[in-house]
Amino acid sequence: MINQALRLIRTYHDLSQTELCSEIGISNSYLSEIESEKKQPSLEILQKYSDEFDIPLSSILFFSENLEESNPSDKIKKKIAGKIISILQWNEERLNAKEAYKKKTKIS
């Protein structure tokens, strides 16, 4: 889930993979592999995200925790994390639709 959280953080800030790679000093292929869950991000990469987006590392990790324990506070955390992820996914879809519209209107 950390891979999805990192992708959503990037798209929330309306950055392409190329733009983010320039900012944090990694290759496009490495970022692509992280976001597609082929590779796991290192702690160094997570720290770069934290610094770049001014998000505490603990908050980034919060989204990736395995919250399958059955106590009530864990269920609440899981529900909140799920809602936040849903909002970020909606934003990503909105930005993708916006880009598709721009391309369509340029062609027409």
Side-chain angles (χ1 to χ4, degrees), residues 6-97:
L6 295 177
R7 178 178 50 79
L8 292 171
I9 289 168
R10 175 183 60 77
T11 59
Y12 176 79
H13 288 89
D14 201 16
L15 289 175
S16 69
Q17 284 185 341
T18 303
E19 291 168 326
L20 180 59
C21 289
S22 263
E23 293 296 321
I24 64 174
I26 63 172
S27 71
N28 282 33
S29 61
Y30 185 51
L31 180 58
S32 178
E33 288 175 333
I34 289 172
E35 289 187 358
S36 64
E37 299 183 19
K38 292 178 183 170
K39 291 191 177 180
Q40 290 300 311
S42 65
L43 189 54
E44 179 184 353
I45 296 296
L46 294 175
Q47 187 60 55
K48 287 182 179 190
Y49 268 78
S50 175
D51 296 341
E52 178 66 25
F53 297 111
D54 197 25
I55 301 171
L57 185 54
S58 60
S59 294
I60 294 171
L61 295 174
F62 174 77
F63 294 115
S64 66
E65 288 179 342
N66 183 0
L67 300 172
E68 294 184 17
E69 294 180 28
S70 61
N71 84 43
S73 69
D74 285 343
K75 287 181 183 178
I76 292 169
K77 285 181 188 177
K78 187 173 183 179
K79 230 178 191 6
I80 291 169
K83 294 290 183 190
I84 292 170
I85 293 288
S86 294
I87 290 168
L88 292 172
Q89 286 172 327
W90 170 82
N91 188 62
E92 179 182 36
E93 291 167 6
R94 182 185 64 81
L95 292 172
N96 289 339

